[in-house]
Amino acid sequence: MSARIDHGTTSGTFDLDGGSWEVDNNVWVLGDDTECVVIDAPHDAAAIAEVVAGRTVRAILLTHGHSDHVDAAFALKERVDAPLHLHPDEAPVWELTHPERRWDEDLHDGQVIEVAGVSLHVLHTPGHAPGACCFHVPELGVVFSGDTLFQGGPGATGRSFSDFDTIVASITDRLLTLPEETVVHTGHGDSTSIGAEKPHRQEWLDNGS
């Protein structure tokens, strides 16, 4: 199998509910030497294109519509000539950053996206945002979780369009059921694994949002 995962980071701001926060975002590119998909479009299209390194980009897969994951979406689309994919439930979040332009293709739960001989399985995981999606790649033993699951627990749910009970249900039903050895590549910070996070579910519930 020639598919691999390349990683980079970009820096910028996350803007929501009148606030603005400096953040570092992970950039994940899955593919081989000739083709790939890009997961999220944070902050800096040129930096993301460096990770792509001239390969054909089959799709730009957006885990959700928060500004720090989509602010470079159209600049990246133009640079690498690839369609933007987003779950339709993300429309109200997306429109906060891109009110006059729409993504190209809808993501839907259970969809399978093929690239470089492997399959990305789309998991709709609302909670951090209504149309949040994760991408499970069984052949590589990884899941790209966006801001749904981090090292240490669920993504934030204290702002508009988010809900704590919903994100815990999504993680419980869609992610913690994956093999425990599955590596979790997150939208921010260090990667983790399903096995590392699964024992802490009750702690999340006890702590609440």
Side-chain angles (χ1 to χ4, degrees), residues 149-155 186 190-193 196-197 200-201 203-204 207:
L149 179 63
F150 291 106
Q151 184 182 79
T186 61
D190 294 335
S191 297
T192 183
S193 70
E197 303 306 322
H200 301 289
R201 178 180 177 277
E203 295 172 29
W204 309 337
N207 293 332

Side-chain angles (χ1 to χ4, degrees), residues 61-133:
L61 306 176
L62 303 171
T63 60
H64 62 295
H66 282 153
S67 64
D68 58 317
H69 292 256
V70 304
D71 54 2
F74 288 106
L76 182 62
K77 169 184 165 69
E78 181 175 348
R79 187 177 283 264
V80 301
D81 189 25
L84 301 167
H85 294 237
L86 183 71
H87 194 284
D89 287 357
E90 275 300 274
V93 182
W94 166 270
E95 289 165 2
L96 297 174
T97 303
H98 299 294
E100 297 181 358
R101 301 180 71 181
R102 185 179 168 87
W103 62 95
D104 302 296
E105 303 285 346
D106 286 347
L107 292 171
H108 57 83
D109 187 61
Q111 180 180 358
V112 178
I113 297 166
E114 308 280 351
V115 68
V118 298
S119 303
L120 295 91
H121 297 252
V122 179
L123 309 176
H124 181 212
T125 53
H128 180 69
C133 288

Side-chain angles (χ1 to χ4, degrees), residues 3-8 26-31 36-40 51 55 61-64 69 107 113 115 118-125 131-151 171 174-175 178 182-194:
R4 68 179 189 273
I5 298 165
D6 295 302
H7 174 248
N26 289 322
V27 174
W28 301 105
V29 177
L30 169 63
C36 63
V37 296
V38 177
I39 297 168
D40 285 334
V51 183
R55 289 173 283 177
L61 306 176
L62 303 171
T63 60
H64 62 295
H69 292 256
L107 292 171
I113 297 166
V115 68
V118 298
S119 303
L120 295 91
H121 297 252
V122 179
L123 309 176
H124 181 212
T125 53
C133 288
C134 299
F135 305 103
H136 179 218
V137 188
E139 297 97 330
L140 299 181
V142 303
V143 62
F144 299 95
S145 65
D147 288 3
T148 294
L149 179 63
F150 291 106
Q151 184 182 79
I171 293 169
R174 310 311 306 279
L175 298 183
L178 298 175
T182 302
V183 175
V184 181
H185 289 316
T186 61
H188 309 269
D190 294 335
S191 297
T192 183
S193 70
I194 295 300

